[in-house]
């Protein structure tokens, strides 16, 4: 008799546990995020912090230039959230009714000129005129906001015509930064967020932050996409990126936040 009762209790307990497990997994979500290449290090850290208490949820982030991400979203690529390196691309998506909500600025990026070559120490923007420099890495200004800002800087300082023949163009800031990191380019333009703590750090690197008065502000915005409109995970992650905790991460990686 006791054995039958015990077996019944075990079955009931197992059934209850299965029910709890099933309920948890129903609530678990997986979302796809498109992030600007310059966000690689900081957004990965923010994502990992966010998921510490959400073990069942998954966030897949694809990093590429903001312009390419915009084009892919327009072409129907399924994604839940777009975290860009400027405001214009998220704003265009909203204007074109491809997002359920307006874009929100989360941080301001900082442009740098840098080198990973001990023979080409960077202490000033004018170091780019060194005649021994033959390759200057530049994120594609047509699709990469930091590349666009770099061109604005070179135009405003009247340096563009003196060095443009040395450009090695990367389709994203990640590609342009890799050219310098691998020493295939002596110097190049990148984002401060790609270097230093949490990013690239070598004994031979040097860089200088570019005066922000020389280019338009690199305000960066995110926007929830249509696929994310009904996703609790997408909305929660969006809100976390805008939170005080995430702002501390952005500051750590060299961004300005309000």
């Amino acid at each position: 008799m006791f054995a039958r009762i015990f077996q019944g209790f075990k079955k009931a307990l197992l059934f209850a546990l299965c029910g709890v497990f099933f309920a948890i997994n129903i609530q678990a979500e997986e979302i796809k995020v498109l992030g600007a290449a310059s966000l690689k290090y900081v957004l990965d850290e923010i994502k990992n912090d966010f998921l510490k208490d959400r073990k069942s949820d998954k966030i897949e982030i694809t990093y590429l230039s903001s312009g390419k991400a915009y084009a892919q979203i327009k072409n129907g690529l399924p994604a839940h959230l777009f975290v860009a390196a400027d405001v214009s691309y998220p704003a265009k998506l909203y204007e074109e009714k491809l997002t359920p909500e307006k874009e929100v600025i989360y941080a301001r990026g900082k442009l740098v000129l840098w080198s990973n070559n001990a023979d080409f120490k960077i202490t000033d923007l004018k170091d780019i005129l060194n005649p021994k420099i033959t390759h200057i890495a530049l994120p594609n200004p047509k699709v990469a906001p930091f590349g666009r800002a770099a061109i604005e800087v070179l135009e405003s300082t009247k340096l563009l015509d003196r060095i443009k023949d040395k450009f090695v163009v990367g389709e994203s800031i990640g590609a342009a930064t890799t050219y310098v990191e691998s020493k295939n380019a002596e110097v190049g333009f990148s984002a401060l967020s790609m270097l230093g703590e949490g990013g690239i750090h070598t004994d031979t690197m040097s860089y200088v932050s570019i005066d922000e008065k020389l280019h338009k502000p690199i305000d960066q915005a995110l926007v929830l996409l249509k696929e994310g409109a009904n996703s609790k995970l997408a909305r929660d992650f969006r809100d976390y990126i805008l939170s005080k905790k995430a702002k501390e991460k952005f500051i750590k990686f060299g961004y300005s936040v309000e």
Side-chain angles (χ1 to χ4, degrees):
M1 179 72 177
F2 178 77
R4 287 200 302 271
I5 294 174
F6 181 70
Q7 288 295 327
F9 175 75
K10 283 176 64 178
K11 288 181 180 179
L13 180 60
L14 181 61
F15 181 78
L17 289 173
C18 287
V20 170
F21 179 79
F22 183 69
I24 290 173
N25 278 275
I26 286 178
Q27 294 173 2
E29 282 192 79
E30 181 173 354
I31 61 170
K32 297 183 183 298
V33 176
L34 297 182
S38 58
L39 292 165
K40 167 63 180 171
Y41 301 107
V42 63
L43 198 54
D44 274 356
E45 189 164 312
I46 289 172
K47 180 191 79 170
N48 292 337
D49 283 352
F50 173 75
L51 291 176
K52 281 180 181 177
D53 299 322
R54 308 179 71 130
K55 303 296 185 183
S56 298
D57 290 327
K58 294 182 180 180
I59 299 175
E60 178 187 326
I61 304 178
T62 299
Y63 294 101
L64 64 173
S65 69
S66 295
K68 279 198 168 184
Y70 163 77
Q72 291 188 16
I73 292 167
K74 280 201 68 173
N75 289 331
L77 179 73
H80 299 79
L81 184 67
F82 177 30
V83 190
D86 76 346
V87 177
S88 67
Y89 289 119
K92 284 180 184 178
L93 291 173
Y94 178 71
E95 291 168 4
E96 293 161 354
K97 303 187 185 305
L98 295 174
T99 68
E101 299 175 1
K102 193 173 174 59
E103 73 282 354
V104 180
I105 293 174
Y106 62 87
R108 176 174 289 181
K110 294 183 181 180
L111 180 69
V112 299
L113 176 68
W114 83 295
S115 172
N116 191 34
N117 192 317
D119 295 329
F120 297 93
K121 288 291 183 183
I122 299 298
T123 61
D124 187 90
L125 175 61
K126 289 185 178 179
D127 290 338
I128 205 170
L129 295 174
N130 185 333
K132 293 182 179 180
I133 291 174
T134 57
H135 300 88
I136 300 170
L138 178 76
N140 188 345
K142 293 181 179 179
V143 293
F146 281 85
R148 192 162 61 237
I151 293 296
E152 291 171 5
V153 168
L154 296 172
E155 288 178 336
S156 64
T157 55
K158 303 188 186 308
L159 295 175
L160 182 59
D161 289 340
R162 300 171 68 178
I163 63 171
K164 62 183 181 182
D165 292 338
K166 299 180 180 182
F167 285 157
V168 180
V169 179
E171 281 305 299
S172 70
I173 196 169
T177 302
T178 298
Y179 292 155
V180 179
E181 184 182 13
S182 62
K183 300 183 181 180
N184 287 312
E186 293 92 350
V187 301
F189 289 96
S190 188
L192 183 56
S193 60
M194 301 287 288
L195 311 178
E197 186 175 354
I200 298 169
H201 182 76
T202 71
D203 293 336
T204 55
M205 69 182 283
S206 59
Y207 67 87
V208 62
S209 294
I210 305 299
D211 186 348
E212 294 184 38
K213 294 178 182 177
L214 297 176
H215 61 81
K216 294 176 183 176
I218 311 175
D219 288 330
Q220 303 188 194
L222 57 75
V223 68
L224 195 71
L225 303 175
K226 287 183 177 179
E227 288 80 0
N230 297 317
S231 167
K232 185 177 186 306
L233 179 58
R235 288 186 175 277
D236 286 350
F237 189 47
R238 184 270 316 270
D239 292 344
Y240 189 79
I241 294 172
L242 298 172
S243 72
K244 182 179 178 180
K245 283 186 177 181
K247 284 182 177 180
E248 291 172 355
K249 295 290 186 185
F250 284 117
I251 292 171
K252 168 187 168 184
F253 279 82
Y255 289 87
S256 297
V257 298
E258 293 184 357

